[in-house]
Amino acid sequence: QRGWNVIIADNLTNRLLGIMSLTIGILTGLCTLFVTLLVDEIESKQGWLGVGFFIGFVIGMVLSGIFMGLLSSAVDSVIVCFAEAPQEFNETHPEMAQEMNQTWKDAWPDVVRGPVVVGLGGGLGVV
């Protein structure tokens, strides 16, 4: 059960960051569309409106994609440190590890953190 929670949290985080990146791209496209409308020198604005929106949208998506990629990597690193190497995580970031451990205890008071024994075909394995 614990492994599925990490996968779901990671998937939701990446979806949220993707939606934020798309929203930033659309808002940047709308801003460039507005600037295109304000330019007086263009005689036929019809053709340039779509071009202005598209250029702004692409610029917004690329820049926000870079920043959201950094955030996604940071979230993945924290999840891996918390799930795979809790002792090292506690040594390098004790305040964050304490906060995450307390949040885990509040969310799942019945689940004890530590080695989990699972059946692997014919034998047992420690995860």
Side-chain angles (χ1 to χ4, degrees):
Q1 181 182 7
R2 185 170 131 196
W4 287 109
N5 291 330
V6 171
I7 291 170
I8 291 170
D10 185 44
N11 192 15
L12 289 176
T13 302
N14 288 332
R15 283 187 184 196
L16 176 66
L17 293 175
I19 290 170
M20 289 175 60
S21 184
L22 182 66
T23 303
I24 291 171
I26 291 172
L27 289 175
T28 307
L30 290 175
C31 288
T32 55
L33 181 68
F34 180 70
V35 169
T36 305
L37 287 172
L38 292 179
V39 175
D40 291 331
E41 293 91 38
I42 300 174
E43 296 169 3
S44 174
K45 293 182 182 177
Q46 297 292 336
W48 290 103
L49 293 179
V51 172
F53 177 81
F54 181 73
I55 290 172
F57 177 77
V58 169
I59 290 172
M61 284 294 291
V62 167
L63 292 179
S64 64
I66 291 169
F67 292 121
M68 297 305 160
L70 290 172
L71 288 176
S72 177
S73 296
V75 169
D76 291 344
S77 298
V78 169
I79 289 174
V80 166
C81 287
F82 182 67
E84 297 294 327
Q87 185 62 31
E88 290 82 358
F89 184 51
N90 192 25
E91 291 172 3
T92 56
H93 302 287
E95 297 88 16
M96 190 182 297
Q98 179 68 25
E99 182 180 347
M100 289 183 75
N101 284 325
Q102 186 60 44
T103 303
W104 180 268
K105 289 177 188 173
D106 292 344
W108 294 282
D110 308 357
V111 179
V112 177
R113 287 205 56 201
V116 177
V117 179
V118 295
L120 299 174
L124 294 177
V126 177
V127 178

